[in-house]
Amino acid sequence: MQLNPDVRDCAAAPIAEAWSWVEGRAAAELLDVCQAVPAYLPPAELREHVAGELRAGRGATYTDIGGLAELREALAGDIARRYGGDVRSADVTVTAGCNQAFCSCIDALCAAGDEVIVPLPYYFNHAMWLSIRGVRARFVDFDPGSPHPGPAAAEALISPRTRAIVLVTPNNPTGAVYAPATLAQFSALAREHGLALIVDETYRDFLPDDDPPHGLFADAGWREHFVHLYSFSKAYSLTGHRVGAVVAGRALGAALEKIQDCTAICAPHAGQLAALYGLRHLQAWKRDNAAALASRVEGLYRAFDDARLDYRLLSAGAYFAYVEHPFAEQARAVARRLAQGFGVVSLPGSYFGPGQERYLRFAFANLGEERFADLVERLCASQSR
């Protein structure tokens, strides 16, 4: 049989390749900074609640295509409280994880041959889906001295085929948090050119909740161009339950429901029940985890402030750190050697786009701060090879 060349030529799944380098090794030997997975289970009260719902017969059926009405209402309320502005349940489409949220948005907005503007380094699944769909990614170059993309550089890439600009904040892979003023500039740019501004905020629950992450929802016309992507996976440790969301105007929401009806039909019902419980009952638990991770970011900066270390920490936040390695060889070779020779399983910068050979991504949320000293020792040892 013949494969679709856009699928055939798409890059392989990065996480699986990285773990293949240490196949057969005992987990206790390894420092896992590879995949962004919460290092803790959902709280017992959530697990008990979902178990009770399932025993009572709830959670086994389809929900509405757009998700449980109660969950859509609760998420709209949560966003309105956090960001300000007018957000309603009709703006919410619940999806089978945030990856599906992104993929469905691209399918709703773009045809093959269209273009999407993506800052480097990109989240690799975003780039993979654009490639599979025959949508051209136009890249905003990465400046390691300023990990925030510039609106002027993005504007220079706009063409008649441009349909959207994609941002990720807090960023995967760099951990950088984009300033509200930067997001406001991108919003104005998208509005001016009739584009969608897709902002993936999977990790927004790990920001301090004193101030809104941005003011885009306070704009009365936000539904005309702004698309917010969200995930319950990291906030409530529900990665296997596959629950995310798109928050957007109804024109896009109606298109998303058509796509979802042909793919997932609806997000997993049991996962939606878990997400709803989290929104209603676990705000304090979520804040405590966010504070612990913020402390871990500070600890990582302290750990890298070691005179022996030639690796340079460029940025860190939420779950991720972007690290410049000191070697002349390409990033994939460095990451493979770190994994096989020193038990540090990370991802090479080359998985996150062109021009990233100097970098590695560390998903440090997988490590307790007590392991940072061991991480630094292994990195120092790798420098002598």
Side-chain angles (χ1 to χ4, degrees):
M1 69 180 71
Q2 292 188 354
L3 296 177
N4 177 344
D6 289 327
V7 178
R8 182 194 63 213
D9 298 337
C10 177
I15 300 294
E17 182 183 18
W19 278 107
S20 74
W21 299 334
V22 290
E23 188 173 357
R25 294 274 295 274
E29 301 175 10
L30 305 173
L31 293 181
D32 172 15
V33 287
C34 179
Q35 188 173 21
V37 179
Y40 43 82
L41 290 171
E45 63 184 277
L46 182 149
R47 287 178 276 150
E48 291 166 3
H49 171 77
V50 173
E53 292 284 89
L54 295 178
R55 283 193 295 268
R58 291 182 286 275
T61 60
Y62 295 131
T63 69
D64 289 344
I65 295 170
L68 290 170
E70 303 98 312
L71 179 57
R72 297 166 74 182
E73 185 71 34
L75 181 58
D78 179 71
I79 292 171
R81 285 189 297 273
R82 182 76 192 274
Y83 292 82
D86 175 32
V87 183
R88 305 173 188 177
S89 61
D91 302 319
V92 177
T93 302
V94 180
T95 58
C98 197
N99 266 7
Q100 194 213 11
F102 175 81
C103 295
S104 296
C105 285
I106 294 302
D107 284 356
L109 293 166
C110 300
D114 285 339
E115 298 178 355
V116 171
I117 294 172
V118 182
L120 293 170
Y122 53 58
Y123 171 46
F124 50 74
N125 283 154
H126 288 174
M128 289 171 69
W129 191 250
L130 295 176
S131 175
I132 286 169
R133 287 313 207 210
V135 176
R136 183 186 180 194
R138 300 291 305 275
F139 298 130
V140 178
D141 288 339
F142 175 58
D143 177 1
S146 177
H148 299 207
E155 185 170 24
L157 299 175
I158 294 174
S159 80
R161 297 303 300 266
T162 306
R163 298 292 177 263
I165 302 169
V166 176
L167 303 177
V168 182
T169 180
N171 188 259
N172 178 3
T174 70
V177 179
Y178 299 165
T182 298
L183 292 168
Q185 290 173 320
F186 272 102
S187 179
L189 178 64
R191 182 191 295 108
E192 178 185 351
H193 291 274
L195 308 177
L197 175 63
I198 302 173
V199 185
D200 183 334
E201 299 187 62
T202 292
Y203 298 94
R204 57 101 161 162
D205 290 297
F206 300 98
L207 295 171
D209 61 2
D210 299 332
D211 298 310
H214 56 71
L216 302 189
F217 283 112
D219 179 352
W222 71 263
R223 293 176 179 85
E224 298 171 10
H225 65 283
F226 175 44
V227 182
H228 168 84
L229 306 186
Y230 180 66
S231 172
F232 296 92
S233 295
K234 306 304 191 297
Y236 302 111
S237 199
L238 298 173
T239 53
H241 285 274
R242 309 312 306 137
V243 191
V246 180
V247 183
R250 282 311 302 154
L252 180 57
L256 294 175
E257 290 190 3
K258 296 176 186 178
I259 293 165
Q260 179 142 293
D261 192 38
C262 297
T263 52
I265 300 179
C266 63
H269 192 162
Q272 293 189 59
L273 293 173
L276 178 60
Y277 185 89
L279 280 173
R280 286 178 170 172
H281 301 287
L282 298 179
Q283 297 303 310
W285 181 83
K286 183 173 67 175
R287 285 193 297 272
D288 288 344
N289 290 327
L293 273 175
S295 175
R296 204 171 299 178
V297 170
E298 296 175 2
L300 191 66
Y301 273 105
R302 287 193 299 270
F304 268 76
D305 188 20
D306 187 309
R308 301 171 299 156
L309 197 59
D310 294 330
Y311 292 81
R312 187 163 68 98
L313 182 57
L314 295 180
S315 57
Y319 268 51
F320 303 109
Y322 212 48
V323 175
E324 184 177 22
H325 68 76
F327 306 104
E329 58 199 305
Q330 294 188 330
R332 185 175 178 276
V334 174
R336 183 168 185 160
R337 183 160 57 83
L338 275 176
Q340 294 180 334
F342 302 93
V344 178
V345 189
S346 63
L347 292 185
S350 51
Y351 286 172
F352 302 95
Q356 306 304 302
E357 294 291 356
R358 296 286 303 162
Y359 311 111
L360 304 169
R361 188 196 78 172
F362 289 180
F364 65 85
N366 300 338
L367 292 183
E369 191 172 339
E370 71 279 0
R371 305 297 302 277
F372 288 172
D374 187 11
L375 174 63
V376 168
E377 291 301 323
R378 296 188 192 202
L379 294 178
C380 287
S382 76
Q383 295 170 181
S384 62
R385 293 288 294 267

